Amino acid sequence: MPISDAFAERIIRWQRSHGRHALPWQNTRDPYRIWLSEIMLQQTQVATVIPYYERFLARYPDVASLAAAPDADVMALWAGLGYYTRARNLHRCAREIVAQWEGRFPPDAERIATLPGIGRSTAAAVAAFAYGERAAILDGNVRRVFARHFGMAGDPASAKVQAGMWERADAELPAPGPAQADDMRAYTQGLMDLGATLCTRGVPDCARCPVRETCVALREARQHELPTPRKRKAVPERSAHLLWVEHRGRTLFERRPPSGIWGGLLSLPEFEGEDAAAACRRLGVEPGQIDRLDPFVHTFTHFRLTATPWRVAAAGIALREADRHEWLEPERLADGGLPAPIKKLLCDRRQGGLF
């Protein structure tokens, strides 16, 4: 049973008065736009997402245009947003909607959740915002709100705690009724807003919280204990060497495999060991001057990469796998679909000029 029957009503009232109402993906019932925003917002902050969302819509205004787009174009538009599996699943999902659903989103959360890259919470958010469906969400922000408000200890990623939170999420939904659709939209957005703006990870603003009267964490002064911190694992270390090959004012790039880190993006060719000259020749590049640059570190979700770039002035070119490679002029680096750390490397260290 809910701790407070008024939990949902308080969230709804607060959201209508104090929540966010002017984000680019709000005030629409278009499931395509809602879905696009929900995928982009996974593990990514609103301020970062907004320009990507607007560029995506400008290029692909509907699911059919996204489904018809070449893979490389989609990945290039996503470049810099990170977590590239999201982009690959986004593209797969669009194609499945066109092929299996005649270009229309499925009409309920249960069937939306069968699409590639869409889990239970995302499906419920799309269904709530687009169709007013009475379906529970449980993203990272909502898990934090529930853990604190209802005093739910334990690793939020564990199956047992997850099951308890889903049970709570279902129990706290607004009651069915004539205003269900509008209430569901306000409640769903309100939970998201509360976790993003007040019940934050670092310094929760309990004084302005609309459900503070019944919050277990506030009553017991456990705001910084809940959610229970996950046990930190040692971050694996990896290393790589990168060839920054320049020839006649252009830089050589290699299309990465569709899966794995930076999947589908253009990046600098990698090699093992520290013999850059031999790596160039295997590639089909006759090296002239070679400079070893300072390594840089980039942290991914599951490991930390130390990359050492080697800047090479090519004396001759006879690429062995030309179809995997592409030359870009300096003015194309900004929108060439490069991983963010590679783009930063090239832009930050180009002050010395091209070879």
Side-chain angles (χ1 to χ4, degrees):
M1 293 296 292
I3 287 178
S4 169
D5 291 336
F7 179 82
E9 285 75 7
R10 283 180 287 165
I11 295 289
I12 290 168
R13 286 196 301 270
W14 173 81
Q15 200 283 326
R16 286 172 174 160
S17 298
H18 304 289
R20 299 176 293 185
H21 297 273
L23 297 173
W25 44 84
Q26 293 181 310
N27 306 306
T28 180
R29 301 289 179 263
D30 183 352
Y32 170 73
R33 292 173 176 243
I34 295 165
W35 161 68
L36 177 61
S37 71
E38 290 296 322
I39 299 300
M40 287 186 167
L41 287 165
Q42 292 171 359
Q43 304 183 69
T44 309
Q45 295 182 345
V46 166
T48 301
V49 166
I50 288 175
Y52 282 90
Y53 177 80
E54 293 174 338
R55 285 196 293 269
F56 239 85
L57 279 184
R59 180 82 66 86
Y60 308 120
D62 51 44
V63 72
S65 58
L66 176 57
D71 292 340
D73 290 359
V74 173
M75 297 307 298
L77 203 55
W78 192 277
L81 195 55
Y83 301 99
Y84 294 99
T85 299
R86 295 181 298 172
R88 292 191 288 273
N89 283 334
L90 190 86
H91 204 192
R92 284 179 57 214
C93 184
R95 288 173 170 170
E96 186 164 321
I97 290 170
V98 169
Q100 303 296 328
W101 293 92
E102 298 181 346
R104 299 182 180 88
F105 263 77
D108 54 65
E110 183 177 0
R111 283 176 280 190
I112 293 173
T114 66
L115 295 170
I118 301 184
R120 179 179 174 183
S121 185
T122 299
V126 173
F129 289 132
Y131 309 136
E133 182 178 342
R134 192 170 177 269
I137 65 166
L138 195 63
D139 64 10
N141 281 335
V142 178
R143 285 196 296 269
R144 184 167 59 252
V145 171
F146 279 14
R148 286 174 174 163
H149 187 269
F150 300 109
M152 305 181 77
D155 183 354
S158 71
K160 181 179 179 180
V161 176
Q162 285 270 351
M165 286 193 171
W166 274 115
E167 184 177 352
R168 173 62 63 183
D170 286 330
E172 297 296 340
L173 287 169
Q180 174 182 304
D182 288 341
D183 284 351
M184 273 306 306
R185 293 180 180 110
Y187 176 68
T188 303
Q189 186 64 56
L191 285 177
M192 294 176 175
D193 291 350
L194 181 59
T197 64
L198 297 185
C199 196
T200 56
R201 182 180 292 108
V203 186
D205 189 351
C206 299
R208 293 196 295 144
C209 177
V211 292
R212 60 186 176 275
E213 292 87 353
T214 49
C215 179
V216 173
L218 177 59
R219 183 173 66 243
E220 299 177 359
R222 298 171 62 200
Q223 297 96 315
H224 297 291
E225 297 176 19
L226 297 172
T228 303
R230 301 181 67 176
K231 293 182 180 179
R232 292 186 175 274
K233 298 179 180 179
V235 179
E237 301 279 351
R238 298 185 189 177
S239 61
H241 293 267
L242 306 174
L243 288 176
W244 178 354
V245 177
E246 294 173 312
H247 184 63
R248 296 179 179 176
R250 301 180 301 167
T251 300
L252 180 66
F253 292 93
E254 185 174 83
R255 181 73 63 185
R256 293 189 62 86
S259 59
I261 64 168
W262 300 331
L265 300 183
L266 289 173
S267 187
L268 298 178
E270 292 185 20
F271 68 97
E272 296 182 358
E274 294 203 2
D275 191 341
C280 284
R281 294 188 177 98
R282 286 195 299 270
L283 195 64
V285 172
E286 183 58 37
Q289 180 180 337
I290 300 178
D291 290 331
R292 185 183 189 276
L293 305 181
D294 292 335
F296 67 89
V297 176
H298 183 73
T299 302
F300 294 89
T301 309
H302 302 299
F303 68 94
R304 184 164 46 241
L305 175 70
T306 300
T308 303
W310 299 75
R311 198 171 185 181
V312 179
I317 300 294
L319 294 176
R320 290 183 168 79
E321 297 180 272
D323 58 329
R324 292 181 53 206
H325 297 92
E326 187 171 338
W327 293 94
L328 295 184
E329 295 79 8
E331 59 271 17
R332 291 187 58 199
L333 297 182
D335 59 359
L338 312 181
I342 300 300
K343 186 185 296 185
K344 186 177 189 307
L345 165 72
L346 300 181
C347 293
D348 286 356
R349 304 197 184 186
R350 193 170 280 280
Q351 63 268 21
L354 296 169
F355 288 118

